[in-house]
């Protein structure tokens, strides 16, 4: 069992600390607002009086703060304690944020692993929770027992930005799904339907369409968007125009759908009529 310090005791930091305690680890906690640490003392955690004291107390320190400026502010208070220490940052941010923090910590001789939590607090320590990691593989291997107690762990590579990149990519998939669901629900309810009653139609349809993703992914990776196309983008552009017109007729703002229409239209206008919808990736890559 390891000794682990947690800096940041919001909903997620508290769930991490409780899970580690439950699994027999020695846990030290610190939070800007001390009162949030006190319930954890009752569960067996030690309370540190400063971030530096917490970092010095344990083999591994986990940061779980609201954002990177907060994480950096906390670490700046503990600069003298950083050299040679193992630091895992589970604060959500961008790949650039993680790489910048990695550079800052390397200059202070700390060992850095970044992580992206694909779970909500009640899922921590249970089935279905996943944490993506990138950065120091040695740190990841050293603390694998503690990390596995929190969630299924996946190390993506030494580039500190990868965990965040994949976290953001997974969230993009989730928000794409949510935006489709919200738009579809607005359409159905505009004619007096109920979102709840629509789900038995929507869920099997989404499942059936998910079955096309392996083919689209192959086209994205090979760049061969015109291979074995059954639903060409010129046809899909007309479908998207119909979605926008139908939304307007029903008094529903087509704000989620217009960007997709514009991107498909750009590909058609540049001569990609026969391509699959996968070709939209080429349009958005060009806008980088
Ligand atoms: N909760 C969730 O569902 C998601 C799941 C996926 C991962 N996220 C990320 O986890 C990070 C922490 O999220 P959280 O849910 O614990 O957030 P809060 O409950 O709002 O707690 C925020 C903690 O940050 C501390 N804090 C804020 N500003 C500062 C600062 N300037 N200096 C020091 N600490 C700061 C705050 O302290 P206090 O307000 O209690 O004093 C809390 O400890 C986050 O990146 C999510 O995106 C969670």
């Amino acid at each position: 069992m390891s000794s682990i310090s947690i800096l940041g005791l919001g909903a997620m930091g508290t769930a991490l600390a409780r899970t580690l305690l439950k699994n027999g680890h020695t846990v030290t906690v610190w939070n800007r607002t001390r009162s949030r640490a006190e319930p954890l003392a009752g569960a067996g955690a030690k309370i540190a009086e400063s971030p530096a004291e917490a970092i010095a107390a344990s083999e591994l320190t986990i940061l779980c703060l609201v954002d990177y400026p907060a994480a950096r502010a906390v670490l700046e208070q503990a600069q003298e304690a950083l050299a040679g220490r193992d630091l895992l940052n589970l604060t959500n941010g961008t790949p650039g944020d993680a790489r910048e923090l990695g550079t800052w910590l390397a200059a202070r001789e700390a060992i850095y692993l970044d992580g992206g939590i694909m779970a909500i607090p009640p899922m921590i320590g249970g089935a279905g929770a996943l944490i993506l990691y990138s950065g120091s593989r040695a740190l990841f291997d050293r603390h694998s027992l503690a990390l596995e107690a929190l969630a299924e762990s996946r190390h993506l590579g030494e580039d500190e930005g990868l965990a965040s990149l994949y976290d953001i990519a997974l969230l993009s998939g989730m928000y794409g799904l949510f935006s489709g669901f919200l738009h579809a629900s607005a359409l159905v309810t505009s004619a007096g339907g109920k979102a709840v009653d629509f789900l038995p139609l929507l869920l099997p349809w989404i499942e059936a369409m998910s079955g096309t993703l392996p083919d689209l992914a192959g086209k994205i990776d090979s760049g061969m968007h015109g291979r074995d196309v059954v639903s060409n983008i010129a046809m899909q552009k007309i479908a998207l125009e119909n979605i926008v017109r139908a939304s307007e007729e029903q008094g529903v703002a087509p704000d989620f759908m217009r960007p997709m229409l514009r991107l498909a239209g750009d590909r058609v206008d540049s001569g990609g009529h026969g391509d699959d919808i996968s070709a939209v990736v080429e349009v958005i890559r060009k806008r980088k």
Side-chain angles (χ1 to χ4, degrees):
M1 292 301 141
S2 340
S3 54
I4 300 167
S5 291
I6 313 272
L7 304 183
L9 299 171
M12 185 53 85
T14 299
L16 299 173
R18 286 197 183 282
T19 303
L20 291 168
L21 284 166
K22 214 184 292 169
N23 281 272
H25 296 279
T26 302
V27 175
T28 301
V29 294
W30 175 86
N31 194 60
R32 179 182 62 175
T33 308
R34 197 182 192 282
S35 57
R36 284 179 107 169
E38 276 147 18
L40 284 162
K46 296 177 204 159
I47 301 181
E49 295 307 323
S50 68
E53 187 187 316
I55 292 168
S58 298
E59 294 153 272
L60 172 67
T61 296
I62 302 177
L63 284 111
C64 191
L65 295 150
V66 71
D67 57 18
Y68 270 73
R72 184 68 171 265
V74 167
L75 289 172
E76 275 171 6
Q77 297 171 47
Q79 296 207 43
E80 73 285 1
L82 295 174
R85 312 307 300 191
D86 282 353
L87 286 181
L88 164 61
N89 179 35
L90 294 178
T91 303
N92 189 259
T94 71
D97 290 334
R99 291 179 189 128
E100 196 183 315
L101 185 59
T103 304
W104 188 88
L105 285 169
R108 284 149 188 85
E109 297 172 28
I111 301 130
Y112 178 44
L113 184 68
D114 194 78
I117 304 176
M118 308 313 304
I120 55 171
M123 290 169 70
I124 295 299
L130 168 70
I131 304 185
L132 304 172
Y133 296 97
S134 60
S136 171
R137 176 81 210 197
L139 189 162
F140 177 79
D141 290 340
R142 246 189 322 277
H143 300 290
S144 59
L145 194 65
L147 302 186
E148 284 295 337
L150 298 175
E152 183 192 333
S153 326
R154 188 94 47 99
H155 189 270
L156 300 172
E158 292 279 333
D159 170 359
E160 290 119 347
L162 286 177
S164 162
L165 181 69
Y166 278 68
D167 177 338
I168 297 286
L170 288 170
L171 292 179
S172 302
M174 180 188 81
Y175 281 114
L177 177 67
F178 286 173
S179 59
F181 165 67
L182 294 171
H183 190 80
S185 296
L187 284 173
V188 167
T189 56
S190 74
K194 292 268 179 232
V196 164
D197 298 336
F198 178 57
L199 280 182
L201 284 174
L202 181 65
L203 289 173
W205 171 245
I206 287 175
E207 199 180 335
M209 288 302 98
S210 298
T212 67
L213 296 185
D215 177 53
L216 295 177
K219 287 172 173 152
I220 290 166
D221 288 344
S222 65
M224 295 171 71
H225 300 289
R227 189 188 56 197
D228 301 332
V229 175
V230 291
S231 302
N232 70 70
I233 199 168
M235 176 280 292
Q236 295 208 46
K237 183 194 161 203
I238 295 169
L240 286 159
E241 284 166 352
N242 290 339
I243 291 172
V244 168
R245 287 196 306 116
S247 303
E248 283 164 344
E249 281 175 18
Q250 292 298 121
V252 172
D255 297 18
F256 285 126
M257 295 295 145
R258 268 197 206 286
M260 190 69 178
L261 169 60
R262 183 168 40 80
L263 293 168
D266 282 2
R267 185 67 178 182
V268 171
D269 293 346
S270 63
H273 305 73
D275 286 343
D276 214 324
I277 196 77
S278 55
V280 164
V281 164
E282 306 296 344
V283 181
I284 58 177
R285 273 189 193 137
K286 274 189 209 139
R287 293 199 177 151
K288 201 161 73 169

PDB file of all heavy atoms in Angstrom, residues 118 132 164-182 206 210 213 256 284:
ATOM      1  N   MET A 118     -12.524   9.753 -16.871  1.00  0.00           N
ATOM      2  CA  MET A 118     -13.733   9.498 -17.648  1.00  0.00           C
ATOM      3  C   MET A 118     -14.770   8.849 -16.718  1.00  0.00           C
ATOM      4  O   MET A 118     -15.112   7.666 -16.834  1.00  0.00           O
ATOM      5  CB  MET A 118     -13.421   8.579 -18.849  1.00  0.00           C
ATOM      6  CG  MET A 118     -12.263   9.028 -19.726  1.00  0.00           C
ATOM      7  SD  MET A 118     -12.257  10.771 -20.223  1.00  0.00           S
ATOM      8  CE  MET A 118     -13.813  10.978 -21.017  1.00  0.00           C
ATOM      9  N   LEU A 132      -7.578   7.976 -18.086  1.00  0.00           N
ATOM     10  CA  LEU A 132      -6.537   7.976 -19.125  1.00  0.00           C
ATOM     11  C   LEU A 132      -5.319   8.694 -18.566  1.00  0.00           C
ATOM     12  O   LEU A 132      -5.476   9.736 -17.906  1.00  0.00           O
ATOM     13  CB  LEU A 132      -7.045   8.714 -20.366  1.00  0.00           C
ATOM     14  CG  LEU A 132      -8.346   8.177 -20.972  1.00  0.00           C
ATOM     15  CD1 LEU A 132      -8.839   9.110 -22.068  1.00  0.00           C
ATOM     16  CD2 LEU A 132      -8.138   6.763 -21.519  1.00  0.00           C
ATOM     17  N   SER A 164      -5.178  14.364 -21.960  1.00  0.00           N
ATOM     18  CA  SER A 164      -6.152  15.443 -22.128  1.00  0.00           C
ATOM     19  C   SER A 164      -6.759  15.421 -23.538  1.00  0.00           C
ATOM     20  O   SER A 164      -7.969  15.606 -23.709  1.00  0.00           O
ATOM     21  CB  SER A 164      -5.447  16.770 -21.850  1.00  0.00           C
ATOM     22  OG  SER A 164      -6.196  17.805 -22.375  1.00  0.00           O
ATOM     23  N   LEU A 165      -5.909  15.169 -24.539  1.00  0.00           N
ATOM     24  CA  LEU A 165      -6.412  15.141 -25.921  1.00  0.00           C
ATOM     25  C   LEU A 165      -7.492  14.056 -26.080  1.00  0.00           C
ATOM     26  O   LEU A 165      -8.563  14.309 -26.649  1.00  0.00           O
ATOM     27  CB  LEU A 165      -5.251  14.882 -26.892  1.00  0.00           C
ATOM     28  CG  LEU A 165      -5.644  14.855 -28.359  1.00  0.00           C
ATOM     29  CD1 LEU A 165      -6.045  16.249 -28.837  1.00  0.00           C
ATOM     30  CD2 LEU A 165      -4.507  14.327 -29.215  1.00  0.00           C
ATOM     31  N   TYR A 166      -7.225  12.866 -25.555  1.00  0.00           N
ATOM     32  CA  TYR A 166      -8.192  11.770 -25.690  1.00  0.00           C
ATOM     33  C   TYR A 166      -9.430  12.019 -24.820  1.00  0.00           C
ATOM     34  O   TYR A 166     -10.553  11.663 -25.192  1.00  0.00           O
ATOM     35  CB  TYR A 166      -7.531  10.426 -25.341  1.00  0.00           C
ATOM     36  CG  TYR A 166      -6.751   9.865 -26.515  1.00  0.00           C
ATOM     37  CD1 TYR A 166      -5.601  10.483 -26.976  1.00  0.00           C
ATOM     38  CD2 TYR A 166      -7.183   8.722 -27.184  1.00  0.00           C
ATOM     39  CE1 TYR A 166      -4.890   9.979 -28.055  1.00  0.00           C
ATOM     40  CE2 TYR A 166      -6.478   8.216 -28.271  1.00  0.00           C
ATOM     41  CZ  TYR A 166      -5.330   8.845 -28.700  1.00  0.00           C
ATOM     42  OH  TYR A 166      -4.646   8.346 -29.779  1.00  0.00           O
ATOM     43  N   ASP A 167      -9.228  12.635 -23.657  1.00  0.00           N
ATOM     44  CA  ASP A 167     -10.349  13.012 -22.784  1.00  0.00           C
ATOM     45  C   ASP A 167     -11.277  13.965 -23.553  1.00  0.00           C
ATOM     46  O   ASP A 167     -12.496  13.757 -23.652  1.00  0.00           O
ATOM     47  CB  ASP A 167      -9.752  13.667 -21.525  1.00  0.00           C
ATOM     48  CG  ASP A 167     -10.782  14.190 -20.535  1.00  0.00           C
ATOM     49  OD1 ASP A 167     -11.923  14.446 -20.920  1.00  0.00           O
ATOM     50  OD2 ASP A 167     -10.424  14.375 -19.357  1.00  0.00           O
ATOM     51  N   ILE A 168     -10.663  14.995 -24.160  1.00  0.00           N
ATOM     52  CA  ILE A 168     -11.450  15.992 -24.904  1.00  0.00           C
ATOM     53  C   ILE A 168     -12.120  15.342 -26.119  1.00  0.00           C
ATOM     54  O   ILE A 168     -13.267  15.671 -26.462  1.00  0.00           O
ATOM     55  CB  ILE A 168     -10.529  17.169 -25.339  1.00  0.00           C
ATOM     56  CG1 ILE A 168      -9.956  17.907 -24.123  1.00  0.00           C
ATOM     57  CG2 ILE A 168     -11.217  18.114 -26.309  1.00  0.00           C
ATOM     58  CD1 ILE A 168     -10.906  18.789 -23.363  1.00  0.00           C
ATOM     59  N   ALA A 169     -11.412  14.401 -26.762  1.00  0.00           N
ATOM     60  CA  ALA A 169     -12.003  13.719 -27.931  1.00  0.00           C
ATOM     61  C   ALA A 169     -13.221  12.895 -27.491  1.00  0.00           C
ATOM     62  O   ALA A 169     -14.262  12.900 -28.168  1.00  0.00           O
ATOM     63  CB  ALA A 169     -10.963  12.828 -28.600  1.00  0.00           C
ATOM     64  N   LEU A 170     -13.104  12.196 -26.356  1.00  0.00           N
ATOM     65  CA  LEU A 170     -14.252  11.408 -25.876  1.00  0.00           C
ATOM     66  C   LEU A 170     -15.420  12.320 -25.495  1.00  0.00           C
ATOM     67  O   LEU A 170     -16.584  12.030 -25.791  1.00  0.00           O
ATOM     68  CB  LEU A 170     -13.836  10.536 -24.686  1.00  0.00           C
ATOM     69  CG  LEU A 170     -12.944   9.344 -25.056  1.00  0.00           C
ATOM     70  CD1 LEU A 170     -12.375   8.681 -23.813  1.00  0.00           C
ATOM     71  CD2 LEU A 170     -13.710   8.315 -25.877  1.00  0.00           C
ATOM     72  N   LEU A 171     -15.097  13.448 -24.855  1.00  0.00           N
ATOM     73  CA  LEU A 171     -16.169  14.401 -24.500  1.00  0.00           C
ATOM     74  C   LEU A 171     -16.813  14.977 -25.760  1.00  0.00           C
ATOM     75  O   LEU A 171     -18.025  15.238 -25.786  1.00  0.00           O
ATOM     76  CB  LEU A 171     -15.622  15.536 -23.627  1.00  0.00           C
ATOM     77  CG  LEU A 171     -15.164  15.134 -22.216  1.00  0.00           C
ATOM     78  CD1 LEU A 171     -14.632  16.346 -21.473  1.00  0.00           C
ATOM     79  CD2 LEU A 171     -16.301  14.496 -21.425  1.00  0.00           C
ATOM     80  N   SER A 172     -16.006  15.170 -26.821  1.00  0.00           N
ATOM     81  CA  SER A 172     -16.566  15.687 -28.083  1.00  0.00           C
ATOM     82  C   SER A 172     -17.588  14.700 -28.627  1.00  0.00           C
ATOM     83  O   SER A 172     -18.658  15.104 -29.105  1.00  0.00           O
ATOM     84  CB  SER A 172     -15.457  15.896 -29.122  1.00  0.00           C
ATOM     85  OG  SER A 172     -14.491  16.788 -28.633  1.00  0.00           O
ATOM     86  N   GLY A 173     -17.255  13.398 -28.555  1.00  0.00           N
ATOM     87  CA  GLY A 173     -18.217  12.375 -28.985  1.00  0.00           C
ATOM     88  C   GLY A 173     -19.491  12.454 -28.159  1.00  0.00           C
ATOM     89  O   GLY A 173     -20.607  12.371 -28.680  1.00  0.00           O
ATOM     90  N   MET A 174     -19.314  12.653 -26.843  1.00  0.00           N
ATOM     91  CA  MET A 174     -20.480  12.720 -25.949  1.00  0.00           C
ATOM     92  C   MET A 174     -21.347  13.947 -26.270  1.00  0.00           C
ATOM     93  O   MET A 174     -22.579  13.839 -26.364  1.00  0.00           O
ATOM     94  CB  MET A 174     -19.990  12.804 -24.496  1.00  0.00           C
ATOM     95  CG  MET A 174     -21.092  12.871 -23.481  1.00  0.00           C
ATOM     96  SD  MET A 174     -20.437  13.200 -21.821  1.00  0.00           S
ATOM     97  CE  MET A 174     -20.214  14.966 -21.879  1.00  0.00           C
ATOM     98  N   TYR A 175     -20.702  15.112 -26.470  1.00  0.00           N
ATOM     99  CA  TYR A 175     -21.515  16.311 -26.740  1.00  0.00           C
ATOM    100  C   TYR A 175     -22.158  16.250 -28.124  1.00  0.00           C
ATOM    101  O   TYR A 175     -23.241  16.825 -28.335  1.00  0.00           O
ATOM    102  CB  TYR A 175     -20.684  17.590 -26.548  1.00  0.00           C
ATOM    103  CG  TYR A 175     -20.554  17.927 -25.064  1.00  0.00           C
ATOM    104  CD1 TYR A 175     -19.332  17.874 -24.416  1.00  0.00           C
ATOM    105  CD2 TYR A 175     -21.676  18.242 -24.314  1.00  0.00           C
ATOM    106  CE1 TYR A 175     -19.216  18.147 -23.055  1.00  0.00           C
ATOM    107  CE2 TYR A 175     -21.578  18.511 -22.957  1.00  0.00           C
ATOM    108  CZ  TYR A 175     -20.353  18.464 -22.332  1.00  0.00           C
ATOM    109  OH  TYR A 175     -20.273  18.727 -20.996  1.00  0.00           O
ATOM    110  N   GLY A 176     -21.511  15.554 -29.079  1.00  0.00           N
ATOM    111  CA  GLY A 176     -22.147  15.337 -30.386  1.00  0.00           C
ATOM    112  C   GLY A 176     -23.437  14.548 -30.204  1.00  0.00           C
ATOM    113  O   GLY A 176     -24.483  14.890 -30.770  1.00  0.00           O
ATOM    114  N   LEU A 177     -23.351  13.516 -29.364  1.00  0.00           N
ATOM    115  CA  LEU A 177     -24.543  12.692 -29.089  1.00  0.00           C
ATOM    116  C   LEU A 177     -25.622  13.531 -28.393  1.00  0.00           C
ATOM    117  O   LEU A 177     -26.798  13.513 -28.775  1.00  0.00           O
ATOM    118  CB  LEU A 177     -24.128  11.510 -28.205  1.00  0.00           C
ATOM    119  CG  LEU A 177     -25.241  10.568 -27.758  1.00  0.00           C
ATOM    120  CD1 LEU A 177     -25.812   9.807 -28.963  1.00  0.00           C
ATOM    121  CD2 LEU A 177     -24.736   9.584 -26.720  1.00  0.00           C
ATOM    122  N   PHE A 178     -25.203  14.310 -27.380  1.00  0.00           N
ATOM    123  CA  PHE A 178     -26.176  15.138 -26.648  1.00  0.00           C
ATOM    124  C   PHE A 178     -26.821  16.171 -27.582  1.00  0.00           C
ATOM    125  O   PHE A 178     -28.021  16.417 -27.505  1.00  0.00           O
ATOM    126  CB  PHE A 178     -25.502  15.886 -25.492  1.00  0.00           C
ATOM    127  CG  PHE A 178     -25.141  15.020 -24.304  1.00  0.00           C
ATOM    128  CD1 PHE A 178     -24.393  15.540 -23.258  1.00  0.00           C
ATOM    129  CD2 PHE A 178     -25.544  13.694 -24.221  1.00  0.00           C
ATOM    130  CE1 PHE A 178     -24.057  14.756 -22.154  1.00  0.00           C
ATOM    131  CE2 PHE A 178     -25.213  12.899 -23.128  1.00  0.00           C
ATOM    132  CZ  PHE A 178     -24.465  13.437 -22.090  1.00  0.00           C
ATOM    133  N   SER A 179     -26.015  16.791 -28.470  1.00  0.00           N
ATOM    134  CA  SER A 179     -26.595  17.842 -29.317  1.00  0.00           C
ATOM    135  C   SER A 179     -27.609  17.224 -30.282  1.00  0.00           C
ATOM    136  O   SER A 179     -28.675  17.800 -30.534  1.00  0.00           O
ATOM    137  CB  SER A 179     -25.521  18.665 -30.031  1.00  0.00           C
ATOM    138  OG  SER A 179     -24.721  17.845 -30.826  1.00  0.00           O
ATOM    139  N   GLY A 180     -27.307  16.043 -30.808  1.00  0.00           N
ATOM    140  CA  GLY A 180     -28.265  15.354 -31.680  1.00  0.00           C
ATOM    141  C   GLY A 180     -29.542  15.018 -30.929  1.00  0.00           C
ATOM    142  O   GLY A 180     -30.650  15.225 -31.430  1.00  0.00           O
ATOM    143  N   PHE A 181     -29.377  14.529 -29.709  1.00  0.00           N
ATOM    144  CA  PHE A 181     -30.543  14.164 -28.895  1.00  0.00           C
ATOM    145  C   PHE A 181     -31.393  15.401 -28.575  1.00  0.00           C
ATOM    146  O   PHE A 181     -32.627  15.371 -28.664  1.00  0.00           O
ATOM    147  CB  PHE A 181     -30.067  13.483 -27.601  1.00  0.00           C
ATOM    148  CG  PHE A 181     -31.126  13.378 -26.547  1.00  0.00           C
ATOM    149  CD1 PHE A 181     -32.235  12.568 -26.722  1.00  0.00           C
ATOM    150  CD2 PHE A 181     -31.031  14.116 -25.369  1.00  0.00           C
ATOM    151  CE1 PHE A 181     -33.227  12.483 -25.752  1.00  0.00           C
ATOM    152  CE2 PHE A 181     -32.011  14.041 -24.395  1.00  0.00           C
ATOM    153  CZ  PHE A 181     -33.121  13.222 -24.592  1.00  0.00           C
ATOM    154  N   LEU A 182     -30.718  16.504 -28.227  1.00  0.00           N
ATOM    155  CA  LEU A 182     -31.466  17.723 -27.856  1.00  0.00           C
ATOM    156  C   LEU A 182     -32.233  18.266 -29.053  1.00  0.00           C
ATOM    157  O   LEU A 182     -33.403  18.668 -28.936  1.00  0.00           O
ATOM    158  CB  LEU A 182     -30.496  18.782 -27.300  1.00  0.00           C
ATOM    159  CG  LEU A 182     -29.820  18.400 -25.975  1.00  0.00           C
ATOM    160  CD1 LEU A 182     -28.729  19.403 -25.617  1.00  0.00           C
ATOM    161  CD2 LEU A 182     -30.848  18.295 -24.851  1.00  0.00           C
ATOM    162  N   ILE A 206     -29.714   5.086 -33.121  1.00  0.00           N
ATOM    163  CA  ILE A 206     -28.336   5.481 -32.809  1.00  0.00           C
ATOM    164  C   ILE A 206     -27.434   4.241 -32.791  1.00  0.00           C
ATOM    165  O   ILE A 206     -26.308   4.264 -33.303  1.00  0.00           O
ATOM    166  CB  ILE A 206     -28.271   6.237 -31.459  1.00  0.00           C
ATOM    167  CG1 ILE A 206     -28.855   7.636 -31.641  1.00  0.00           C
ATOM    168  CG2 ILE A 206     -26.841   6.344 -30.940  1.00  0.00           C
ATOM    169  CD1 ILE A 206     -28.961   8.438 -30.376  1.00  0.00           C
ATOM    170  N   SER A 210     -24.289   3.643 -35.162  1.00  0.00           N
ATOM    171  CA  SER A 210     -22.951   3.434 -34.575  1.00  0.00           C
ATOM    172  C   SER A 210     -22.218   2.330 -35.328  1.00  0.00           C
ATOM    173  O   SER A 210     -20.990   2.333 -35.396  1.00  0.00           O
ATOM    174  CB  SER A 210     -23.052   3.017 -33.106  1.00  0.00           C
ATOM    175  OG  SER A 210     -23.661   4.040 -32.382  1.00  0.00           O
ATOM    176  N   LEU A 213     -19.583   3.353 -37.870  1.00  0.00           N
ATOM    177  CA  LEU A 213     -18.359   4.072 -37.469  1.00  0.00           C
ATOM    178  C   LEU A 213     -17.065   3.350 -37.872  1.00  0.00           C
ATOM    179  O   LEU A 213     -16.109   4.017 -38.290  1.00  0.00           O
ATOM    180  CB  LEU A 213     -18.377   4.389 -35.967  1.00  0.00           C
ATOM    181  CG  LEU A 213     -19.493   5.348 -35.507  1.00  0.00           C
ATOM    182  CD1 LEU A 213     -19.329   5.688 -34.030  1.00  0.00           C
ATOM    183  CD2 LEU A 213     -19.542   6.620 -36.333  1.00  0.00           C
ATOM    184  N   PHE A 256     -27.763  23.647 -33.990  1.00  0.00           N
ATOM    185  CA  PHE A 256     -26.871  22.477 -33.920  1.00  0.00           C
ATOM    186  C   PHE A 256     -26.563  21.934 -35.317  1.00  0.00           C
ATOM    187  O   PHE A 256     -25.535  21.318 -35.539  1.00  0.00           O
ATOM    188  CB  PHE A 256     -27.532  21.338 -33.119  1.00  0.00           C
ATOM    189  CG  PHE A 256     -27.564  21.544 -31.625  1.00  0.00           C
ATOM    190  CD1 PHE A 256     -28.764  21.456 -30.926  1.00  0.00           C
ATOM    191  CD2 PHE A 256     -26.396  21.792 -30.908  1.00  0.00           C
ATOM    192  CE1 PHE A 256     -28.801  21.615 -29.546  1.00  0.00           C
ATOM    193  CE2 PHE A 256     -26.426  21.948 -29.528  1.00  0.00           C
ATOM    194  CZ  PHE A 256     -27.628  21.866 -28.842  1.00  0.00           C
ATOM    195  N   ILE A 284     -12.454  20.123 -41.685  1.00  0.00           N
ATOM    196  CA  ILE A 284     -12.157  20.734 -40.372  1.00  0.00           C
ATOM    197  C   ILE A 284     -10.658  20.695 -40.083  1.00  0.00           C
ATOM    198  O   ILE A 284     -10.145  21.567 -39.409  1.00  0.00           O
ATOM    199  CB  ILE A 284     -13.001  20.167 -39.200  1.00  0.00           C
ATOM    200  CG1 ILE A 284     -12.836  18.672 -39.029  1.00  0.00           C
ATOM    201  CG2 ILE A 284     -14.460  20.509 -39.373  1.00  0.00           C
ATOM    202  CD1 ILE A 284     -13.622  18.109 -37.830  1.00  0.00           C
TER     203      ILE A 284
END
